[in-house]
């Protein structure tokens, strides 16, 4: 009877997970037409503006001010706009700025309020085999044990005999280990990302050039002035191409050479092609490319475009 109940528990949990996944996926990827209308309007009219008000946007789009404020609040969460209390107005954050609010404020302080056209964190860990292996093993090992037991490939019951003393079913315990592995993997991922953010931040200012961290808790001590840039090159290796096919954010290496002969490589940087154009644009003094790509990148940041490789599509 106990084994039968364990089977019912396993089957019920798996069915619940599958149903929950599809419901969540549908909800997350369901288009919100008003959100897209407001976002496109902001990109087209206010990408170069310093401020705008909810009242003005409501008048221009023939909507209620409360509706506009509701969607602007949602855009704040996605770091597409920011609210300025002292002016009771909003400002559009450049679509290629992926910094946390704390790091964005730090970048503004360092660049003396220069227009930041790109801001992100290098992510070499995304193609680091040790980083990937640790996360996979935390989930793969308990899943493998569960599969071996369910299909009677190997009887692992003797190795978990202590569960009988505790009155815990083997399947329930293995499912607990899988859930625990997912939680630990997520915690490890977040901690490692936080460490990398403190060490590998990169920002590009319209007039100030490139600033980047060179050590932990750095204050953007690495600097390449706009006039010091000799050339910029883009390089996407095989592992990064594989990541870009399956991953949620395209990554690649961007190499910057200075007129003094130094070469700085930003490794596994998000949206490398856009960073390449950003650096070229500040050298040439032409930022028209931002308007061409701002809409699609902002949609991605807001989740209006799915980021799963096999489900990627345009709305």
């Amino acid at each position: 009877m106990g084994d039968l109940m364990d089977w019912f528990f396993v089957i019920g949990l798996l069915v619940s997970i599958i149903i929950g996944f599809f419901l969540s996926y549908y909800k997350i990827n369901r288009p919100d037409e008003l959100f897209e209308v407001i976002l496109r309007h902001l990109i087209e009219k206010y990408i170069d503006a310093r401020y705008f008000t909810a009242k003005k946007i409501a008048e221009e789009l023939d909507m209620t001010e409360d509706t506009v404020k509701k969607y602007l609040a949602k855009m704040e969460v996605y770091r597409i706009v920011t609210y300025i209390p002292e002016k009771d107005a909003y400002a559009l954050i450049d679509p290629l700025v992926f910094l946390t609010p704390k790091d964005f404020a730090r970048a503004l302080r360092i660049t003396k309020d220069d227009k930041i056209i790109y801001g992100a964190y290098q992510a070499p860990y995304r193609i680091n085999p040790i980083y990937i292996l640790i996360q996979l093993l935390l989930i793969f090992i308990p899943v493998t044990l569960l599969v071996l037991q369910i299909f009677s490939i190997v009887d692992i019951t003797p190795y978990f005999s202590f569960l009988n003393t505790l009155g815990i079913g083997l399947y329930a315990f293995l499912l607990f280990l899988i859930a625990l592995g997912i939680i630990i993997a997520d915690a490890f991922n977040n901690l490692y990302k936080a460490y990398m953010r403190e060490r590998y931040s990169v920002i590009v200012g319209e007039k100030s050039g490139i600033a980047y961290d060179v050590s932990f808790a750095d204050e953007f001590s690495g600097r390449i002035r706009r006039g010091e840039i000799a050339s910029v090159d883009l390089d996407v290796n095989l592992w990064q191409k594989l990541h870009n096919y399956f991953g949620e954010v395209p990554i690649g290496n961007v190499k910057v050479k200075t007129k003094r002969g130094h070469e700085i490589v930003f490794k596994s940087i998000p949206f490398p092609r856009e960073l390449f154009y950003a650096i070229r644009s500040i050298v040439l003094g032409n930022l028209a490319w931002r308007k061409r790509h701002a809409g699609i990148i902002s949609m991605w940041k807001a989740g209006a475009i799915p980021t799963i490789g096999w489900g990627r599509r345009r709305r």
Side-chain angles (χ1 to χ4, degrees):
M1 186 66 179
D3 289 341
L4 184 61
M5 291 302 295
D6 282 345
W7 271 104
F8 277 126
F9 178 78
V10 170
I11 294 171
L13 186 61
L14 290 175
V15 170
S16 300
I17 291 172
I18 293 170
I19 293 173
F21 171 79
F22 282 107
L23 288 176
S24 300
Y25 182 78
Y26 172 75
K27 183 178 179 181
I28 290 170
N29 291 280
R30 185 174 54 193
D32 188 330
E33 293 182 1
L34 279 180
F35 186 96
E36 293 188 19
V37 166
I38 296 173
L39 180 55
R40 290 187 189 281
H41 182 75
L42 294 178
I43 294 296
E44 289 171 3
K45 291 199 64 174
Y46 293 97
I47 191 169
D48 292 319
R50 195 156 182 85
Y51 308 110
F52 60 86
T53 64
K55 183 179 179 181
K56 185 170 179 60
I57 301 301
E59 291 173 353
E60 291 172 349
L61 294 176
D62 194 23
M63 297 179 181
T64 65
E65 190 173 343
D66 287 340
T67 299
V68 172
K69 282 185 176 180
K70 182 183 99 173
Y71 282 101
L72 288 176
K74 190 181 292 188
M75 291 180 192
E76 281 188 84
V77 175
Y78 296 121
R79 298 296 299 153
I80 295 174
V81 303
T82 185
Y83 178 65
I84 299 122
E86 58 270 18
K87 296 184 178 292
D88 190 25
Y90 296 84
L92 193 66
I93 298 174
D94 203 278
L96 286 172
V97 175
F98 304 99
L99 303 173
T100 63
K102 171 188 168 186
D103 287 337
F104 184 64
R106 180 168 68 111
L108 287 174
R109 184 178 73 251
I110 294 297
T111 59
K112 300 187 184 340
D113 291 329
D114 185 19
K115 177 73 175 177
I116 297 174
I117 59 175
Y118 181 94
Y121 309 99
Q122 299 178 68
Y125 58 88
R126 290 187 182 274
I127 56 171
N128 185 317
I130 297 176
Y131 170 82
I132 297 170
L133 187 62
I134 289 173
Q135 293 194 88
L136 288 177
L137 287 177
L138 285 169
I139 303 171
F140 181 75
I141 291 175
V143 168
T144 302
L145 292 174
L146 181 63
V147 171
L148 291 175
Q149 184 65 26
I150 288 176
F151 293 100
S152 301
I153 300 171
V154 177
D155 183 14
I156 63 172
T157 307
Y159 300 101
F160 294 91
S161 56
F162 64 91
L163 294 176
N164 295 328
T165 307
L166 299 173
I168 301 174
L170 177 59
Y171 292 121
F173 181 71
L174 291 176
L175 288 171
F176 167 75
L177 289 182
I178 294 172
L180 184 64
I182 293 172
I183 293 171
I184 294 174
D186 186 59
F188 170 74
N189 182 47
N190 290 334
L191 288 172
Y192 202 72
K193 280 183 178 178
Y195 168 74
M196 299 302 281
R197 285 174 177 174
E198 287 293 327
R199 188 174 179 184
Y200 291 114
S201 303
V202 179
I203 60 172
V204 179
E206 184 177 350
K207 298 180 177 62
S208 56
I210 307 167
Y212 56 95
D213 289 334
V214 295
S215 62
F216 186 77
D218 191 14
E219 280 290 321
F220 293 113
S221 62
R223 297 291 186 91
I224 307 174
R225 302 290 180 188
R226 185 171 63 172
E228 295 175 353
I229 300 171
S231 66
V232 58
D233 193 18
L234 176 65
D235 175 39
V236 181
N237 61 40
L238 176 61
W239 295 110
Q240 290 166 340
K241 288 178 181 176
L242 287 172
H243 172 278
N244 294 346
Y245 185 78
F246 295 103
E248 58 185 24
V249 180
I251 60 174
N253 300 333
V254 175
K255 302 175 183 178
V256 180
K257 289 184 179 179
T258 68
K259 292 179 179 177
R260 297 182 181 181
H262 299 139
E263 182 180 82
I264 296 91
V265 181
F266 301 124
K267 299 177 180 179
S268 296
I269 201 80
F271 290 98
R273 192 174 301 279
E274 284 72 21
L275 174 58
F276 170 80
Y277 285 121
I279 295 172
R280 283 193 61 184
S281 296
I282 64 168
V283 173
L284 298 174
N286 179 9
L287 296 175
W289 63 275
R290 288 163 62 238
K291 292 185 179 180
R292 291 198 302 270
H293 300 288
I296 197 71
I297 296 172
S298 294
M299 289 293 182
W300 172 84
K301 287 175 73 174
I305 295 175
T307 56
I308 298 175
W310 46 264
R312 197 168 291 160
R313 61 189 182 276
R314 297 289 183 263
R315 287 198 175 101

